[in-house]
């Protein structure tokens, strides 16, 4: 799996759903899309400082569908896979029931079901609707992650309860689901 890039962040990122602080890096954003990019696609950046790992998602989504009830897979959501500080795979979901401040949910280590173990309040973010979809900014404490970051993200677009969802992932197509992507840390210069 080819590594992804995380840029060194010098002044932190304010989690407000606005990409302004990311502006100098936006030309480096990776783009991900399926069959119809106007229906569901995203641009993505990652950043890192001494305390946090940051991620920005600029999402095009024609229909925002928020979670109702306790199931994290019943609305638009993000799955975060990373190698934890304990050396084990950790999987979390960001699944808002409304726009605004979000926290993660630790999931059972099962790739086929979104079973919540507990909320993880240390993983924080802002889910902000836009005229084209939404922006999502996240921060993950580095102490939760392995010293050499390995992380993948999957955005899931759910438009109706019964309709199948669409998934776009930072993991390369055909990539091993058990293998979490390595990260190269780059300066902004």
């Amino acid at each position: 799996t080819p590594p992804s890039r995380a840029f060194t962040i010098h002044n932190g990122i304010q989690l407000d759903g606005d990409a302004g602080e990311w502006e100098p890096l936006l030309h480096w954003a990776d783009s991900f899309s399926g069959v119809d990019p106007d229906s569901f696609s995203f641009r993505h950046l990652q950043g890192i400082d001494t305390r946090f790992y940051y991620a920005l998602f600029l999402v095009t989504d024609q229909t925002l569908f928020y979670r109702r009830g306790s199931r994290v897979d019943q609305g638009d959501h993000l799955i975060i896979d990373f190698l934890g500080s304990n050396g084990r795979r950790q999987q979390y979901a960001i699944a808002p029931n409304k726009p605004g401040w979000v926290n993660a949910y630790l999931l059972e280590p099962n790739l086929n079901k979104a079973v919540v173990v507990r909320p993880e309040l240390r993983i924080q973010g802002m889910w902000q609707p836009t005229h084209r979809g939404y922006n999502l900014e996240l921060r993950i404490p580095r102490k939760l992650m392995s010293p050499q970051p390995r992380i993948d993200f999957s955005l899931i677009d759910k438009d109706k309860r019964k309709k199948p969802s669409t998934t776009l992932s930072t993991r390369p197509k055909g990539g091993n689901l058990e293998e979490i992507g390595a990260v190269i840390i780059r300066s902004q210069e």
Side-chain angles (χ1 to χ4, degrees), residues 25-72:
L25 299 172
L26 284 177
H27 67 279
W28 290 103
D30 293 315
S31 295
F32 301 86
S33 64
V35 177
D36 182 2
D38 292 327
S39 174
F40 182 52
S41 60
F42 70 94
R43 294 176 60 210
H44 171 61
L45 280 170
Q46 298 174 71
I48 195 164
D49 67 17
T50 57
R51 295 181 49 216
F52 295 106
Y53 194 89
Y54 298 94
L56 171 70
F57 301 87
L58 305 171
V59 182
T60 298
D61 184 352
Q62 287 182 339
T63 306
L64 301 185
F65 192 71
Y66 294 104
R67 169 179 60 90
R68 295 183 199 143
S70 60
R71 294 220 19 197
V72 297

Side-chain angles (χ1 to χ4, degrees), residues 27-129:
H27 67 279
W28 290 103
D30 293 315
S31 295
F32 301 86
S33 64
V35 177
D36 182 2
D38 292 327
S39 174
F40 182 52
S41 60
F42 70 94
R43 294 176 60 210
H44 171 61
L45 280 170
Q46 298 174 71
I48 195 164
D49 67 17
T50 57
R51 295 181 49 216
F52 295 106
Y53 194 89
Y54 298 94
L56 171 70
F57 301 87
L58 305 171
V59 182
T60 298
D61 184 352
Q62 287 182 339
T63 306
L64 301 185
F65 192 71
Y66 294 104
R67 169 179 60 90
R68 295 183 199 143
S70 60
R71 294 220 19 197
V72 297
D73 59 349
Q74 292 302 306
D76 294 339
H77 60 287
L78 172 74
I79 299 293
I80 308 164
D81 276 309
F82 64 79
L83 194 60
S85 58
N86 60 6
R88 293 192 197 121
R89 177 191 189 141
Q90 302 290 309
Q91 191 173 61
Y92 295 88
I94 301 287
N97 56 8
K98 63 182 180 192
W101 190 255
V102 292
N103 291 105
Y105 296 94
L106 175 64
L107 300 178
E108 289 271 343
N110 179 338
L111 294 173
N112 299 318
K113 294 183 181 178
V115 178
V116 172
V117 174
R118 65 177 160 74
E120 177 50 81
L121 302 179
R122 295 175 292 180
I123 298 176
Q124 303 169 330
M126 178 62 74
W127 187 294
Q128 189 65 40

